[in-house]
Amino acid sequence: MRLPIRLLAPVLLAAGPLLTGCGGPEPLPEAAPAPRPTSARPSTDAPSTALPSSAGPSGPAVAAASLGGPGTACPLPVSFSLPKDWKPNAIELPTDPELADLADLARRGPAVMRCEIDAKPAGLIGFLRVWTLEKGSAQPSARAALEAFVKGDETSSAVTYREIEAGALPAVEATYTVRSALFDEDKEERAFAVTTPKGVVVVDLGGTDTAEHREMLPAYELARTTLKAL
């Protein structure tokens, strides 16, 4: 069954979920959903280099579940691994015109949120989110889609793009900062985009602040390095 769509209080918006729904539990190695507590400036291009270390204090993340395939919590155009206790929830946009403002919270640029993976059960405050482009919309390049996604947050700044790989697929990554309304300070964000036979997919990682973001980077890197197109 699906959880009802709901909107959190503004004070939790920076760290909490937006619109959620979850399917029934899936045994490992498939990740299963669980009940939840819950204007871009000019960018620069970085040469194709290895990513900065993002192992975090506890080292690289260890895969404990898989997400994205049929029967998992979030059927997606890609699959990837998740660390232990990260809990995914599928996102369903309301179709009621009166809830259009609520649906807009799950949109950034041309991208629509499809899955939200909660780090709180693992002891962290933040989310790994998966976005796809609207069905039937023109499919831009991964770079163009990622640029539009970053610009979708009007507070984004200090943007750097680089060519990387997501699994065995060519991809583009952006590192940037956004303004936290909760703490009134800039915080780091990171996202990558990849083109699949079913369209462009964007995966991003936030957090309540820069320190929390960096703590969660191993999960982001695990998703990136194990990603496969379906």
Side-chain angles (χ1 to χ4, degrees):
M1 60 181 295
R2 297 285 181 182
L3 295 179
I5 296 167
R6 58 195 176 90
L7 175 64
L8 295 184
V11 71
L12 295 179
L13 188 56
L18 299 176
L19 310 173
T20 66
C22 63
E26 296 289 338
L28 290 179
E30 300 294 348
R36 300 145 52 83
T38 176
S39 72
R41 298 189 179 95
S43 61
T44 59
D45 284 287
S48 298
T49 59
L51 288 174
S53 173
S54 58
S58 59
V62 177
S66 178
L67 179 70
T72 63
C74 300
L76 300 165
V78 296
S79 67
F80 54 83
S81 296
L82 294 177
K84 182 180 179 181
D85 293 332
W86 283 63
K87 301 301 181 183
N89 287 274
I91 303 300
E92 290 186 344
L93 273 65
T95 57
D96 187 340
E98 294 184 0
L99 298 177
D101 290 344
L102 182 60
D104 286 344
L105 293 175
R107 301 177 190 273
R108 277 184 64 180
V112 178
M113 194 190 308
R114 301 300 183 188
C115 190
E116 185 175 68
I117 306 154
D118 191 356
K120 285 193 286 299
L124 299 166
I125 303 175
F127 298 90
L128 191 65
R129 293 178 170 121
V130 185
W131 311 67
T132 63
L133 272 58
E134 290 272 27
K135 293 181 179 179
S137 65
Q139 296 290 313
S141 66
R143 171 64 182 256
L146 186 59
E147 288 179 348
F149 176 82
V150 172
K151 292 176 182 177
D153 187 324
E154 295 180 355
T155 70
S156 60
S157 63
V159 188
T160 299
Y161 293 95
R162 62 171 62 85
E163 303 294 325
I164 62 167
E165 289 186 347
L169 301 174
V172 181
E173 183 184 60
T175 54
Y176 56 103
T177 63
V178 298
R179 193 69 181 174
S180 169
L182 186 60
F183 298 111
D184 193 27
E185 64 182 18
D186 289 340
K187 60 174 183 167
E188 291 180 2
E189 298 265 329
R190 187 177 296 216
F192 71 84
V194 61
T195 299
T196 78
K198 298 178 182 178
V200 177
V201 174
V202 177
V203 178
D204 84 304
L205 178 69
T208 54
D209 55 29
T210 293
E212 201 76 28
H213 171 80
R214 292 177 178 177
E215 287 277 352
M216 296 187 294
L217 281 173
Y220 169 92
E221 282 296 279
L222 179 63
R224 182 186 69 81
T225 57
T226 59
L227 184 138
K228 298 178 181 178
L230 296 179

